[in-house]
Amino acid sequence: MLHEVAEFENIVLSCGGGTPCFFDNMDYMNTCGETVFLDASPAVLKEHLHMGKTVRPLIQGKSDDELIAYIEDSLVKRLPYYQKAKHTLKIEVIHTKEQIKNYVDQIIGLL
């Protein structure tokens, strides 16, 4: 699916946290365009996961402590892939449209 979508021009593609870690996905994304790693702490990721409306089987039923441990473990494994992104932006918990706009503006500034 990634390879099919990446063929379109002038798009922004937001992928799930594991996507860069499989096959040659991160290297492939880097050859197709600009990549930005949204760098968030485990606490921020936990808050965003709690705000999400989708069911995530890998984290379903975990306590907050178990969820933080899972996120920390996942980040250790995934960080080498994420760090291959051309740009990195540190982010905090996003609650408002204004905060989203601010991060979008920062991403545009990176590119």
Side-chain angles (χ1 to χ4, degrees), residues 12-102:
V12 174
L13 174 64
S14 173
C15 61
T19 302
C21 308
F22 296 104
F23 312 109
D24 65 343
N25 287 350
M26 193 67 226
D27 294 327
Y28 178 72
M29 288 187 286
N30 279 330
T31 64
C32 291
E34 297 298 314
T35 53
V36 180
F37 165 38
L38 301 179
D39 186 9
S41 70
V44 169
L45 292 171
K46 179 182 80 73
E47 290 303 313
H48 283 168
L49 287 169
H50 278 304
M51 286 188 283
K53 298 189 186 303
T54 59
V55 175
R56 295 175 180 260
L58 293 176
I59 63 171
Q60 193 171 13
K62 290 189 183 325
S63 69
D64 281 350
D65 289 340
E66 292 169 328
L67 181 56
I68 287 286
Y70 174 80
I71 291 168
E72 290 171 342
D73 182 56
S74 295
L75 282 175
V76 166
K77 294 173 185 170
R78 295 174 176 185
L79 202 54
Y81 299 97
Y82 296 166
Q83 290 175 329
K84 289 182 177 183
K86 294 179 182 178
H87 309 278
T88 299
L89 179 63
K90 184 76 175 158
I91 65 165
E92 298 299 326
V93 177
I94 301 170
H95 291 289
T96 66
K97 288 182 181 181
E98 184 177 323
Q99 289 171 310
I100 293 170
K101 183 185 178 326
N102 181 39

